[in-house]
Amino acid sequence: MTFSALYFAALAAIQVLCFAVQPPTQLWLGVMLVVVGLGLSLGFGGRSPFTVGAASLVYFPAAWLTVVLWQALSWGQVPMSPGVDDAGFFVLPVLAASAALVGGFLRVAAQWGKRF
């Protein structure tokens, strides 16, 4: 689970560093699409959907920690929030776990296709 959680923490830090000062209008949609892609790749790699969903809970604490560290280390213009609403705390685990489940099915289908 640590491996998967590191991916979600890195995603949150990158998102904050790139988009928190001037977030684009469709930032939340982009975050959801990247989470689905990350969940698919982790599921295809053999991670369980429960593990990926639980690891995605690291996203919002990592985003806020990045904002706090940026404020502490910077003297210039810094963001006051990560740029996404915390209500997604309920959405990201479901998206990540569902995508990991689909990724697991794709892995099994790919292995099944190699047999024939």
Side-chain angles (χ1 to χ4, degrees):
M1 184 159 136
T2 305
F3 183 72
S4 301
L6 286 175
Y7 276 126
F8 286 104
L11 171 65
I14 290 168
Q15 179 264 319
V16 167
L17 293 174
C18 292
F19 300 116
V21 174
Q22 293 180 340
T25 57
Q26 297 296 325
L27 178 62
W28 180 238
L29 178 64
V31 168
M32 289 190 303
L33 290 174
V34 171
V35 164
V36 167
L38 186 56
L40 275 170
S41 66
L42 289 171
F44 193 80
R47 303 285 191 272
S48 74
F50 179 76
T51 301
V52 174
S56 71
L57 292 174
V58 171
Y59 178 84
F60 288 106
W64 276 105
L65 182 61
T66 305
V67 168
V68 169
L69 287 174
W70 192 357
Q71 290 173 350
L73 298 175
S74 178
W75 299 101
Q77 180 182 7
V78 295
M80 291 297 164
S81 74
V84 292
D85 190 13
D86 290 337
F89 190 76
F90 302 108
V91 175
L92 286 187
V94 173
L95 283 174
S98 299
L101 184 65
V102 171
F105 284 140
L106 292 174
R107 184 190 60 186
V108 170
Q111 291 173 348
W112 183 263
K114 288 179 183 179
R115 293 182 184 175
F116 297 103

